[in-house]
Coordinates of all heavy atoms in Angstrom, one line a residue:
M35 N -43.2 47.3 8.2 CA -43.5 46.4 7.2 C -44.5 45.4 7.6 O -44.5 45.0 8.7 CB -42.3 45.7 6.5 CG -41.1 46.6 6.2 SD -39.7 45.7 6.0 CE -39.3 44.9 7.5
R36 N -45.3 44.7 6.7 CA -46.0 43.5 6.8 C -45.9 42.7 5.6 O -45.7 43.2 4.6 CB -47.5 43.8 7.1 CG -47.7 44.7 8.3 CD -49.1 45.0 8.7 NE -49.8 43.8 9.2 CZ -51.1 43.7 9.6 NH1 -51.8 44.7 9.3 NH2 -51.7 42.5 10.0
N37 N -45.8 41.3 5.8 CA -45.6 40.4 4.8 C -46.5 39.4 4.8 O -46.8 38.7 5.8 CB -44.3 39.8 4.9 CG -43.8 39.0 3.6 OD1 -44.2 37.8 3.4 ND2 -43.1 39.6 2.8
F38 N -47.4 39.1 3.7 CA -48.4 38.2 3.6 C -48.1 37.3 2.3 O -47.7 37.6 1.3 CB -49.8 39.0 3.3 CG -50.1 39.9 4.3 CD1 -49.8 41.3 4.1 CD2 -50.6 39.8 5.5 CE1 -50.0 42.3 5.0 CE2 -51.0 40.7 6.4 CZ -50.6 42.0 6.1
A39 N -48.4 35.9 2.6 CA -48.2 35.0 1.5 C -49.2 34.0 1.5 O -49.0 32.8 1.7 CB -46.8 34.3 1.6
P40 N -50.5 34.4 1.2 CA -51.7 33.5 1.5 C -51.6 32.2 0.6 O -52.0 31.2 0.8 CB -52.9 34.2 1.3 CG -52.3 35.5 0.5 CD -51.0 35.7 0.9
L41 N -51.0 32.4 -0.6 CA -51.0 31.2 -1.6 C -50.0 30.2 -1.1 O -50.0 28.9 -1.6 CB -50.7 31.6 -3.1 CG -51.7 32.4 -3.8 CD1 -51.3 32.8 -5.2 CD2 -53.0 31.7 -3.9
L42 N -49.1 30.6 -0.3 CA -48.1 29.6 0.3 C -48.5 29.2 1.7 O -47.9 28.5 2.4 CB -46.7 30.3 0.4 CG -46.1 30.7 -0.9 CD1 -44.9 31.5 -0.7 CD2 -46.1 29.5 -1.9
G43 N -49.8 29.5 2.1 CA -50.3 29.1 3.5 C -49.7 30.0 4.5 O -49.9 29.5 5.7
I44 N -49.2 31.0 4.3 CA -48.6 31.9 5.3 C -49.6 33.2 5.4 O -49.7 34.1 4.6 CB -47.3 32.3 5.1 CG1 -46.2 31.2 4.8 CG2 -46.6 33.4 6.0 CD1 -44.9 31.5 4.3
Q45 N -50.3 33.2 6.6 CA -51.2 34.3 6.7 C -50.5 35.7 6.9 O -50.7 36.7 6.3 CB -52.1 34.0 8.0 CG -53.2 35.1 8.1 CD -54.0 34.7 9.3 OE1 -53.9 33.8 10.1 NE2 -55.3 35.3 9.2
E46 N -49.4 35.6 7.8 CA -48.6 36.7 7.8 C -47.2 36.3 8.6 O -47.3 35.3 9.4 CB -49.2 37.9 8.7 CG -48.3 39.1 9.0 CD -49.1 40.2 9.5 OE1 -50.3 40.1 9.9 OE2 -48.4 41.4 9.7
E47 N -46.1 36.9 8.3 CA -44.8 36.6 8.7 C -44.4 37.7 9.7 O -44.6 38.9 9.4 CB -43.7 36.4 7.6 CG -43.8 35.1 6.8 CD -42.9 34.9 6.0 OE1 -41.8 34.2 6.3 OE2 -42.8 35.3 4.8
S48 N -43.8 37.3 10.7 CA -43.3 38.3 11.9 C -41.9 39.0 11.3 O -41.6 40.1 11.8 CB -43.2 37.8 13.1 OG -42.2 36.6 13.1
A49 N -41.1 38.3 10.5 CA -39.8 38.8 10.1 C -39.5 38.2 8.7 O -39.4 36.9 8.7 CB -38.7 38.5 11.1
T50 N -39.2 38.9 7.7 CA -38.9 38.6 6.4 C -37.6 39.3 5.9 O -37.8 40.3 5.4 CB -40.2 38.9 5.5 OG1 -41.3 38.5 6.2 CG2 -40.1 38.0 4.2
G51 N -36.5 38.6 6.1 CA -35.3 39.1 5.8 C -35.1 39.4 4.2 O -34.5 40.4 3.8
T52 N -35.5 38.4 3.5 CA -35.3 38.5 2.0 C -36.1 39.7 1.5 O -35.5 40.5 0.7 CB -35.7 37.2 1.3 OG1 -34.9 36.1 1.9 CG2 -35.5 37.3 -0.1
A53 N -37.3 39.8 1.8 CA -38.1 40.9 1.3 C -37.6 42.3 1.8 O -37.7 43.3 1.2 CB -39.6 40.7 1.7
S54 N -37.1 42.2 3.1 CA -36.7 43.4 3.7 C -35.4 43.9 3.0 O -35.3 45.1 2.8 CB -36.2 43.2 5.1 OG -37.4 42.9 5.9
G55 N -34.4 43.0 2.5 CA -33.3 43.5 1.8 C -33.7 44.0 0.5 O -33.1 45.0 0.0
A56 N -34.6 43.4 -0.2 CA -35.2 43.9 -1.6 C -35.8 45.2 -1.3 O -35.5 46.2 -2.2 CB -36.1 42.9 -2.1
L57 N -36.5 45.5 -0.3 CA -37.2 46.8 -0.1 C -36.2 47.8 0.2 O -36.2 49.0 -0.2 CB -38.2 46.6 1.2 CG -38.8 48.0 1.7 CD1 -39.6 48.6 0.4 CD2 -39.7 47.7 2.8
A58 N -35.1 47.4 0.9 CA -34.1 48.5 1.3 C -33.4 48.9 0.0 O -33.3 50.1 -0.1 CB -33.0 47.7 2.2
V59 N -33.0 48.0 -1.0 CA -32.5 48.5 -2.1 C -33.4 49.2 -3.1 O -33.0 50.2 -3.7 CB -32.0 47.1 -3.0 CG1 -31.5 47.5 -4.4 CG2 -30.9 46.3 -2.2
Y60 N -34.7 48.9 -3.1 CA -35.7 49.6 -3.8 C -35.7 51.1 -3.2 O -35.6 52.2 -3.9 CB -37.1 49.0 -3.6 CG -38.1 49.9 -4.1 CD1 -38.6 49.8 -5.6 CD2 -39.0 50.7 -3.3 CE1 -39.6 50.6 -6.0 CE2 -39.9 51.4 -3.7 CZ -40.2 51.5 -5.1 OH -41.3 52.1 -5.6

Side-chain angles (χ1 to χ4, degrees):
M35 311 166 300
R36 297 182 78 179
N37 188 281
F38 308 93
L41 288 181
L42 301 176
I44 301 168
Q45 188 173 18
E46 183 170 0
E47 288 190 89
S48 61
T50 315
T52 303
S54 300
L57 176 60
V59 172
Y60 172 86

